[in-house]
Amino acid sequence: MALTKSMNGLNSLRDLQKVGFIVPSSNTALEPITVSMASQVADRVSFHFSRVTVQTLDTDEKSVGQFNTDKMVASAVLLNDADLDAILWNGTSGSWSGRGLQADVTLSAEMEAATGLPSSTSTLAQIEVLEQYGVKRFSLAGPYVDGPTQGLVNFYKGLGYDVVKTSQMNERANVAFANTPLSRIKELIREADSPEAECIVVACTNWPVALVIDEMEAEIGKPIYDSICVTLWKALRMVNVKVPIHGWGKLLRDDPTLEKINVALARLLESCSASRTTFRLDLPERNCHVDTVCAEACAPGIKQLKLDSSLNQRALGTVQWIESSRRVLVQGDCANAEVPPPKALMGVYGVKAQMLAPLHQGDHLTAWISVHYVPSTREWTEQEIQALESTMDDVKKLLIEDNWIS
């Protein structure tokens, strides 16, 4: 199921919050990627773009001069003609050009003064993310040559961060950044990773890391804070659109309520000695749909299901069974179960035993928790079944307390 929201229900485009982005002229990555990510909230917010001339990325005077504040402010003023709600410079020049943090603080203030709109930048958003998650030590990956890469190291070290490792592609032409093969991007993320790094920071809005961010976060086991994703994250918060965005990395997916459910699933995983626990929820106003896992806990070495939205869940026999019976489905041997589990669950993910617990609202199956076991078939104990039921009760209470359901 595609997580794309239709605009057909709008009374007019006035119903949408409108965000303006100032874009480097040679950037061909951030616009299509931003629009693709934001398709999940297309019924809430729209994005509008203006450009300033940028062709090469280096620390020489000519390259740095492309990022003149007056040009940025003039572009913001043009965007303001569209009656927007917020404006952001969707570029990272302040963090690598040697101009320092104050350049972005000043730019943001001058754009706000000229337009009367809340304003920010990719660099300010990146720092806000690092502060929110308490990050102190990270690695940097990017497409740059030595000058901008060292500029980034100096910038973040000057703010008190420890940059433990870097990787770079050694490219100056901005138009080439967006056309980097995704396989090469993956290589550079792996190269940048270090056991000492709490996350990977990507400071470039024309490098399509977002297209592989979920996959690479799962592989390296830590967040990747990519500039395109970070800037969208900030923009959505500036216009008070606060729902999880699925499929584009931990940052955009993170939600306080879902994080509490992740904790509950981790406890259930341990108490059942399970391989994986998942939570699926049908709540469109929170951008949660049952075909996409919205919370999950996995044992080491177990593939995440949140990366796979390929199955129509409500068409599955196991889901139809819990919907009609309103009871926990217990399957100790999936291959020989009376109610057949999906073949992909067994064949692709190796699940040999599972349990499913439903959450109904009236006659509607709103959500369910699944518990998977991969190593072998098994007999689920009464204690484990009760642990699943108790976890579902806790999750239901949590959803009510957080005003997700009534």
Side-chain angles (χ1 to χ4, degrees), residues 29 50 53 98 147 171 224 293 327 332 346 365 372-373 375 377 381:
S50 183
T53 300
E171 178 61 63
I224 300 170
V293 169
R327 294 187 287 116
M346 296 181 287
L365 176 63
H372 297 154
Y373 192 68
T377 61
T381 68

Side-chain angles (χ1 to χ4, degrees), residues 166-188:
T166 66
S167 67
Q168 63 190 61
M169 196 171 69
N170 294 313
E171 178 61 63
R172 292 182 77 250
N174 192 38
V175 73
F177 294 176
N179 298 323
T180 306
L182 299 182
S183 59
R184 180 61 177 142
I185 291 175
K186 293 177 189 179
E187 289 173 357
L188 287 164

Side-chain angles (χ1 to χ4, degrees), residues 36-56:
S36 184
M37 292 190 292
S39 65
Q40 297 180 33
V41 287
D43 59 341
R44 308 174 196 223
V45 60
S46 61
F47 295 91
H48 310 272
F49 304 92
S50 183
R51 290 179 175 255
V52 294
T53 300
V54 175
Q55 295 178 331
T56 59

